[in-house]
Each structure stands twice: as C-alpha cells, then as structure tokens.
C-alpha cells in the first residue's frame, strides 16, 4: 500500500477564498460608470465591420443548408 507523497501539491491547487470585493481589488478594477467605458475601436471603418458581420453570418449558417 502506498502513501501520498507530501512533495506533490494537491490538484487542483487549493486557493484562498476571497470575497468579490477582494478579487476586484486584486485586479485593480473600476466600476463601469457609463456605456462609454465599454467602447472599443475594434474596427477601423464601417466597411470593415460589415465584412466581419457578413463573414460571421456565413460561418454560422454554413452547415444549415
């Protein structure tokens, strides 16, 4: 009969339980105050956005037909 090795850590690793407030503080997050906080310039133009949306639509419907 074998004994567990004390050299090997537990899997998954045991993590301390943190409150939501503590987790947010660790990540240095700030509350969302307006929709402008969520904006991102992902696409350089409306044309690029339209190309992306057309691609996504065609990919999602590729196996439907």
């Amino acid at each position: 009969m074998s004994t567990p090795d004390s050299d090997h850590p537990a899997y998954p690793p045991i993590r301390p339980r943190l409150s939501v407030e503590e987790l947010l503080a660790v990540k240095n997050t700030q509350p969302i105050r307006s929709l402008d906080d969520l904006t991102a310039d992902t696409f350089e133009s409306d044309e690029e956005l339209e190309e992306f949306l057309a691609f996504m639509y065609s990919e999602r419907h590729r196996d439907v037909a």
Side-chain angles (χ1 to χ4, degrees):
M1 189 163 144
S2 64
T3 59
D5 289 332
S6 60
D7 297 335
H8 298 292
Y11 185 81
I14 299 171
R15 297 182 183 161
R17 294 201 178 253
L18 301 174
S19 69
V20 171
E21 290 79 14
E22 292 169 320
L23 289 170
L24 293 172
V26 168
K27 296 283 187 176
N28 194 27
T29 59
Q30 299 298 318
I32 298 170
R33 299 189 196 291
S34 75
L35 290 177
D36 293 335
D37 293 345
L38 301 175
T39 60
D41 293 326
T42 305
F43 301 99
E44 293 183 12
S45 66
D46 289 344
E47 182 179 292
E48 187 178 349
L49 171 61
E50 292 299 325
E51 289 174 8
F52 172 76
L53 294 175
F55 169 78
M56 290 303 298
Y57 181 85
S58 65
E59 286 296 305
R60 289 181 177 168
H61 294 89
R62 176 176 49 176
D63 296 328
V64 175

